[in-house]
Amino acid sequence: MHVPLRHLCRAGLTGLAPLLPPLTSARSYCSRVKVRSYFKFLKNKVMAPPGPPYGHVCQVGDPVLRAPAAPVDPALIPGPEVQRVISTMVRVMRRLECVGLSAPQVGVPLRIMALEYPQKMFEETAAAAREARGLSVQPLRIFINPQMKVLDGRTVSFQEACESISGFSASVPRYRSVEVSGLNERGEAVAWQASGWCARILQHEMDHLDGVLYVDRMNSKTFINIHWQEHNE
C-alpha cells in the first residue's frame, strides 16, 4: 500500500499509541521529572515545534524506529515532499559524518535509505582497517522501496554503531555480500551488488526500514559505551 507522505507526517505515530504500555506511574519510567526551560516555553509559544523530516536523528525509544516503514508511491518521487525527505537525509548524514541513514531516522516512516562513503573518511582510516573491513570509497546512493537479496550467506562480525543509539557500539554479524534493488531519487530502477563494509551498511539500513535495530542482532557481551575509557580519566 502506498501512503502519501503528508498523511504520514500529519498523522504522526498516534496510531501506535495502543501498542505502548500504559503509564502506571512516573517512577516506572524515570526518577526525575524533566522541566522545560522558560526560554523553551516561550519559543514553543511563538514557533510551532519542528516536524519531520527532522534535522536531527531520532533516538531509540521513538516509535518511528520500531514500525515497519511504508512503501513510497513511485509517482510521488519527483514531488517536493519526497525530495525534501531525501535532501534532509543527505544533509543530516553528511553533517554527522555517518555513512548511511534511513527515512525513519529523520522521523518519516517511508522506505527510503541513503548511503555514502566519502574519500575523506576513507583516507582517515588506517590501511589495515580498510583491508579487514573491506572499505571502499562510494558515491552517494539513494534507494527507494529497496529489496535485498543475499549473495553470500556467510557472516562476518564487526563492531557496529548507529546514530539512533548514540554513544554505543556492539559486534554484529552481517552477510558478506548482498544485492539491493529499487528506485533512485529520480524514480529510475537501480541495482547494486555490494560486499564488505558496504554490504554491512546496506543491511543496517534495510533493518531500519523494518523497525529493526542493530541491538536486536548484536552479541550482547560486546555492547559498549564508546566513551567508556574517558570516564576513567
Side-chain angles (χ1 to χ4, degrees):
M1 178 179 69
H2 297 302
V3 184
L5 174 60
R6 62 181 181 275
H7 293 166
L8 289 166
C9 290
R10 288 174 182 171
L13 294 165
T14 54
L16 294 179
L19 302 180
L20 300 175
L23 183 61
T24 55
S25 69
R27 189 177 291 250
S28 302
Y29 295 91
C30 62
S31 58
R32 292 183 298 177
V33 175
K34 184 176 179 181
V35 180
R36 280 191 304 173
S37 69
Y38 185 61
F39 172 77
K40 193 166 187 179
F41 170 76
L42 289 178
K43 180 181 175 183
N44 288 345
K45 278 286 191 180
V46 176
M47 301 171 59
Y54 297 120
H56 62 267
V57 173
C58 297
Q59 294 300 296
V60 61
D62 191 322
V64 72
L65 296 174
R66 286 306 198 175
V72 179
D73 184 340
L76 298 179
I77 293 175
E81 292 179 324
V82 172
Q83 291 300 311
R84 180 173 170 238
V85 173
I86 294 171
S87 63
T88 301
M89 289 171 60
V90 174
R91 184 173 69 252
V92 172
M93 182 175 71
R94 288 175 172 171
R95 176 170 55 81
L96 296 176
E97 296 185 331
C98 55
V99 294
L101 206 66
S102 67
Q105 288 182 281
V106 293
V108 180
L110 290 177
R111 300 189 75 81
I112 308 173
M113 65 182 189
L115 176 149
E116 183 179 44
Y117 206 100
Q119 180 74 34
K120 180 177 179 289
M121 193 176 295
F122 180 79
E123 291 174 353
E124 291 173 348
T125 306
R130 295 179 197 169
E131 184 176 354
R133 298 177 184 177
L135 297 179
S136 60
V137 176
Q138 295 297 330
L140 176 66
R141 286 185 168 91
I142 305 295
F143 292 97
I144 301 172
N145 299 337
Q147 299 288 327
M148 191 182 74
K149 179 171 67 175
V150 177
L151 300 179
D152 187 338
R154 295 176 297 170
T155 61
V156 59
S157 293
F158 277 107
Q159 207 74 7
E160 194 171 302
C162 179
E163 289 294 337
S164 289
I165 311 176
S166 182
F168 294 88
S169 178
S171 179
V172 182
R174 298 286 187 186
Y175 296 118
R176 291 175 178 267
S177 180
V178 298
E179 179 180 78
V180 65
S181 58
L183 303 175
N184 65 13
E185 66 275 21
R186 295 181 294 277
E188 302 164 339
V190 290
W192 183 37
Q193 292 185 355
S195 58
W197 206 254
C198 291
R200 176 172 296 272
I201 298 168
L202 287 172
Q203 291 169 76
H204 182 112
E205 300 309 328
M206 284 294 297
D207 275 352
H208 272 302
L209 301 184
D210 294 326
V212 176
L213 300 175
Y214 81 81
V215 292
D216 302 325
R217 303 187 184 279
M218 70 179 181
N219 176 345
S220 60
K221 291 185 178 181
T222 68
F223 186 61
I224 62 169
N225 181 316
I226 59 178
H227 304 294
W228 69 268
Q229 290 175 302
E230 297 174 20
H231 288 276
N232 295 334
E233 296 175 353

